[in-house]
Amino acid sequence: MQNVTPVAIAALGLELAPAVLFGCAAERVARAVGQWPVAFRVCLPALLVAPYVMVSISQHMFRWTWFTLYAALPVAIAWLLLRAAAADPERGDWRDALILLVLGLAVDLRWFDRAWPGGLRALNELFLVDAGLYGFLVIRQLSGTGFDFHLRWSDWRTGLRELAFFAPIVLVLGLALGFIHPHRNLPGIGSALLRWVGIFFFTAVPEELYFRAWVQNLLERRVGRRTALVIASALFGLSHFNKRSAHFNWRYVLLATIAGIFYGRAWREQRRVPASTITHASVDWIWGLWF
């Protein structure tokens, strides 16, 4: 694969480590870091610049502008969320919205992709995930996110139930709109399972973390569960406006918005990211294999 070198693999490991740590022991990490001096806590995420330094130097494309951005952005996020926690620890304020807007647009509009060599731009998204995780879980200590890699049977039950509810809708509507086209594909069991796991961790987890654990979670505190579900789902749908098309892809936006309703239902049942991630990963997996 293009530009996948030992240095790139090491950088990937560095970026995955915080996400795994938060997914396995977020509360313990937050308590431990909470005992450190405030200035140290706020400045610590500047270390997230390390993967960029490693990859850019090895690929001869290091730029001080990008270095400054990747070192300063996580610190700015931490500082703003520290202020947000002090201003309104429960309902959130404009700083939460600002950070979510920046993180969402940075991914959707690919603001920082030029900093990375081709084939490694997913490292930019992982960087943003790490910065958000540290800010919201450690500094903000946002409750009720449900970001947890300890999967339960209830996660599977909820996730697959919402998949069963959504599948007939997307099949009928997708075929009627001419957006999906069935094709025969019989992959090996091993490769199919590996593909599902890859979608789960690298596509569904980041999106469910953002739209459900952060966006829907904070919206519920302001506008209630039902309205939050609708708004978060609409935002999820709009984030797909430029997928599979050079223009506004309204079919994708519509189907993604409906999907967001079922992903949001799965998350809010027990406020568990793994539940909605199972639904999300399964939908993308089925779509990718047979449509």
Side-chain angles (χ1 to χ4, degrees):
M1 190 179 294
Q2 184 184 17
N3 292 319
V4 177
T5 64
V7 173
I9 294 172
L12 175 63
L14 279 179
E15 292 198 334
L16 287 176
V20 172
L21 183 61
F22 289 125
C24 295
E27 291 185 5
R28 281 182 288 172
V29 173
R31 284 197 302 269
V33 176
Q35 298 176 6
W36 299 345
V38 172
F40 187 76
R41 276 185 279 152
V42 171
C43 293
L44 180 63
L47 295 175
L48 294 174
V49 74
Y52 167 74
V53 173
M54 294 167 57
V55 171
S56 61
I57 289 178
S58 69
Q59 297 285 335
H60 308 289
M61 54 187 302
F62 177 85
R63 297 291 183 273
W64 282 108
T65 302
W66 290 118
F67 173 87
T68 303
L69 184 144
Y70 280 112
L73 182 59
V75 175
I77 289 173
W79 181 77
L80 286 169
L81 288 177
L82 184 69
R83 302 304 305 157
D88 192 336
E90 290 301 321
R91 297 204 308 164
D93 72 352
W94 64 269
R95 299 171 185 86
D96 298 292
L98 175 63
I99 289 167
L100 289 173
L101 180 64
V102 169
L103 291 175
L105 291 178
V107 172
D108 210 43
L109 300 182
R110 302 171 182 172
W111 282 351
F112 309 149
D113 279 8
R114 291 182 293 110
W116 302 86
L120 298 180
R121 290 169 182 170
L123 292 175
N124 173 65
E125 296 183 17
L126 283 174
F127 161 83
L128 295 171
V129 167
D130 288 343
L133 281 170
Y134 183 85
F136 280 107
L137 299 187
V138 175
I139 300 296
R140 184 75 167 83
Q141 297 194 18
L142 182 65
S143 62
T145 63
F147 182 69
D148 184 1
F149 286 159
H150 300 95
L151 269 69
R152 305 170 182 170
W153 284 114
S154 60
D155 296 327
W156 290 100
R157 182 179 65 247
T158 301
L160 294 178
R161 182 197 67 209
E162 295 303 317
L163 171 66
F165 289 160
F166 174 60
I169 296 174
V170 71
L171 286 175
V172 172
L173 190 56
L175 289 170
L177 293 174
F179 185 70
I180 59 176
H181 306 279
H183 60 265
R184 186 175 180 180
N185 185 22
L186 295 174
I189 295 177
S191 62
L193 288 175
L194 187 63
R195 184 170 183 172
W196 188 91
V197 171
I199 294 171
F200 182 94
F201 284 106
F202 293 101
T203 299
V205 165
E207 292 187 4
E208 291 308 300
L209 173 67
Y210 180 85
F211 285 101
R212 257 52 73 175
W214 296 341
V215 174
Q216 189 171 333
N217 185 7
L218 284 166
L219 281 171
E220 281 189 355
R221 302 159 194 245
R222 291 280 180 177
V223 298
R225 296 180 78 218
R226 291 184 179 179
T227 305
L229 175 63
V230 172
I231 295 174
S233 301
L235 291 173
F236 178 73
L238 287 170
S239 73
H240 294 75
F241 81 97
N242 58 353
K243 306 296 192 297
R244 298 189 179 185
S245 175
H247 307 288
F248 187 89
N249 193 339
W250 67 269
R251 294 177 180 83
Y252 207 156
V253 169
L254 175 62
L255 291 173
T257 298
I258 297 172
I261 294 290
F262 292 90
Y263 302 164
R265 279 167 44 91
W267 172 80
R268 77 177 186 181
E269 180 162 312
Q270 295 184 345
R271 304 184 78 82
R272 298 272 300 165
V273 168
S276 60
T277 303
I278 287 169
T279 310
H280 190 155
S282 300
V283 169
D284 285 5
W285 180 74
I286 292 171
W287 197 324
L289 283 179
W290 292 298
F291 297 96

